[in-house]
């Protein structure tokens, strides 16, 4: 993708543009929170926000997204603040982007929220799979935005490259259009190749999930808004050292660790990419192989940053994304994290919301984690009992039932028989009554 941001020490400066549609009440409050988040995204990408402009519209302007008068106001502000970037809080259509680029010229870049998020993902993707997924999302975003000004794809290898000078209008239209078609074909070819490679990733993940199901190990997936503390909780529960930072999308690639629950039962704990409002559809599609880990989980832990001013809106955004990826039917526990940062009044307000599916914790201090673990075990193994049985070697069928329908924690082969410890569905207990230790 076009190299949006400078690598020099001096940060590029941006003016943000936000639009709310409809009445100026709740929508305006949502816009305020969205622009705060956009500023945090910009900071994560290495951009300094120096100003912002907002507008209330019934619908986007067909040419420039915002009204013509607001465009002129924006242009004056960009010149006054010597901004390098105009940063829109929504995804711009290819036409909007082209028309705005005409207004601001070559010196000022016009970037939308989607392009910004894609750039951050590109910076943070470490594994080959993550890089494939990000590149696919970038190319699908870029393809409809190609113009004659784009350079040849081979000059942009690795996400770099940029735009050539103006092609002018005299005698260059034919070759320019030919180059445009060449670029389109090469990008489409690369997209097809990436989709094939990611389909192999998807198949491999499906085989791994099938193997996990065969050995009957439950999977608990951590989901939540970016920067909600999922990685901190994963580190705390599994004694891992996953990278943690106070920034958006600090970790992208899925991580799976073993977790021992009260009673000794082991489960797999899966951490996935954080969600965000207005998550680009290109990313959701590209990360399908990763997000399927959520769909196939036995339980979801929805981690919410209770200290965030807009935690309710963030929570709704996560639930909407889960619905979008068809994971809405997976059992879920809501976990309000970072309660150590709350004052007494806020903590009391949250406590009033508590029910059997909601928990207050601090992944940093460990507060409330023990109760959460007990709840995880209860949900996953509801209707099961912890038993220890000594089965004679000729009772091979009972051994098989324990493996197939129960959850085996430990097995020992002794001289007098097979000692099995684990969880069994209560309706199977009568078969084992003569062998319980």
């Amino acid at each position: 993708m076009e190299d949006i941001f400078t690598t020099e020490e001096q940060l590029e400066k941006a003016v943000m543009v936000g639009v709310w549609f409809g009445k100026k009440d709740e929508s305006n409050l949502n816009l305020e929170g969205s622009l705060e988040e956009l500023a945090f995204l910009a900071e994560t990408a290495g951009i300094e926000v120096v100003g912002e402009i907002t507008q209330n519209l019934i619908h986007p302007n067909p040419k420039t997204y915002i009204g013509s008068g607001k465009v002129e106001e924006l242009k004056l502000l960009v010149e006054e603040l010597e901004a390098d970037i105009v940063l829109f809080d929504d995804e711009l259509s290819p036409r909007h982007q082209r028309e705005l680029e005409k207004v601001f010229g070559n010196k000022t870049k016009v970037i939308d929220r989607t392009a910004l998020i894609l750039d951050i993902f590109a910076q943070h993707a470490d594994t080959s799979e993550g890089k494939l997924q990000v590149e696919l999302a970038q190319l699908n975003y870029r393809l409809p935005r190609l113009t004659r000004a784009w350079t040849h794809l081979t000059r942009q290898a690795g996400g770099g490259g940029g735009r050539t000078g103006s092609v002018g209008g005299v005698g260059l239209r034919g070759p320019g259009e030919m180059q445009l078609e060449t670029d389109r074909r090469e990008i489409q070819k690369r997209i097809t190749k990436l989709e094939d490679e990611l389909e192999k990733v998807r198949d491999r993940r499906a085989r791994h999930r099938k193997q996990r199901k065969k050995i009957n190990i439950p999977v608990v997936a951590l989901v939540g808004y970016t920067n909600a503390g999922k990685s901190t909780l994963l580190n705390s529960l599994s004694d891992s050292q996953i990278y943690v930072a106070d920034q958006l999308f600090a970790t992208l690639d899925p991580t799976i660790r073993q977790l021992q629950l009260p009673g000794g039962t082991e489960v797999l704990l899966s951490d996935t990419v954080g969600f965000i409002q207005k998550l680009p559809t290109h990313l959701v599609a590209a990360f399908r192989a990763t997000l399927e880990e959520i769909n196939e989980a036995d339980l979801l832990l929805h981690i919410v940053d209770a200290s965030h001013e807009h935690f309710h809106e963030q929570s709704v955004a996560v639930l909407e994304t889960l619905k979008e990826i068809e994971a809405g039917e997976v059992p879920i526990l809501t976990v309000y994290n970072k309660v150590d940062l709350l004052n007494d009044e806020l903590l009391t307000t949250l406590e009033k919301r508590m029910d059997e599916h909601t928990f207050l914790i601090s992944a940093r201090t460990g507060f409330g984690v023990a109760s959460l673990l007990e709840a995880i075990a209860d949900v996953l193994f509801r209707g099961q009992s912890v038993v220890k049985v000594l089965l004679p070697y000729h009772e091979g069928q009972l051994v098989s039932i324990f493996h197939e329908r129960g959850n085996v924690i430990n097995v020992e082969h002794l001289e007098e028989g097979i000692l099995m410890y684990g969880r069994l569905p209560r309706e199977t207990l009568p078969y084992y009554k003569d062998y319980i230790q």
Side-chain angles (χ1 to χ4, degrees), residues 20-71:
W20 73 94
F21 299 97
K23 296 180 179 179
K24 186 180 177 180
D25 45 25
E26 294 181 3
S27 297
N28 195 21
L29 293 174
N30 291 338
L31 176 66
E32 181 184 342
S34 188
L35 286 174
E36 286 178 11
E37 184 173 271
L38 185 66
F40 199 1
L41 285 166
E43 179 185 338
T44 301
I47 301 173
E48 179 187 4
V49 173
V50 293
E52 71 176 57
I53 275 183
T54 60
Q55 186 174 31
N56 178 214
L57 294 172
I58 302 302
H59 50 74
N61 183 291
K63 285 187 64 177
T64 54
Y65 196 77
I66 55 177
S68 57
K70 189 62 71 171
V71 170

Side-chain angles (χ1 to χ4, degrees), residues 62 81 111 160 187 249 327 359 432:
L81 298 176
I111 307 299
I187 289 179
F249 306 118
F359 298 85
Y432 295 89

